[in-house]
Amino acid sequence: FYKPCLDLNGGSDGWCNIPRKIRFNPQETLIAAYHNGVMVYAYKGDFNRNIDYHWTGATLLEPTKIVDYCTRSYSQGVAPYPQKESTAITGLALAKFPGSTDTDTIDYIGYDDRWLHCQLPSSISSSANNVQMTVAIFVR
């Protein structure tokens, strides 16, 4: 979700989701994925200074798992990372499995990849993939 803030004291937890993140000289980045408002995974890492101008800026440096409810064994505990080879039509695509993406709604050949390599648990969704997904990048 978008949480406006004027500095990095963005509420009780200190996380902000804002454009031009580097201007605040943040120290950490957090990438979180949600399904209908429920956090499915969150990883934090050292702030990557490329975030405002290059696709590699979405790479978490020294990632640490906060929470991960993905049910596929090969993606459980794997921090999301950007995919340069993505088939995404526009924007940034993130993956939890090499050579694929988990955040594309529809790629250039018509596949819906949302949650594909995460597989949502039944406690969060009756469908394991191809359903609503929101990914946010926060800094503090």
Side-chain angles (χ1 to χ4, degrees), residues 8-60:
L8 292 182
N9 297 318
S12 61
D13 58 8
W15 292 101
C16 296
N17 183 16
I18 55 172
R20 294 185 26 228
K21 294 165 177 30
I22 201 167
R23 67 188 161 153
F24 291 111
N25 196 28
Q27 303 303 305
E28 294 182 290
T29 301
L30 179 128
I31 297 177
Y34 303 87
H35 172 67
N36 289 335
V38 176
M39 183 180 289
V40 177
Y41 63 77
Y43 287 81
K44 71 176 185 173
D46 295 338
F47 182 72
N48 186 331
R49 299 190 68 75
N50 290 340
I51 197 164
D52 285 328
Y53 63 91
H54 196 267
W55 67 271
T56 59
T59 303
L60 291 173

Side-chain angles (χ1 to χ4, degrees), residues 73-117:
S73 60
Y74 60 77
S75 74
Q76 183 22 264
V78 176
Y81 56 91
Q83 283 287 83
K84 182 177 182 183
E85 297 83 20
S86 171
T87 56
I89 295 172
T90 61
L92 177 67
L94 297 172
K96 284 178 64 68
F97 182 72
S100 184
T101 62
D102 270 343
T103 61
D104 288 3
T105 300
I106 303 218
D107 64 20
Y108 76 99
I109 53 176
Y111 291 116
D112 183 341
D113 290 342
R114 293 170 298 162
W115 304 112
L116 186 63
H117 294 286

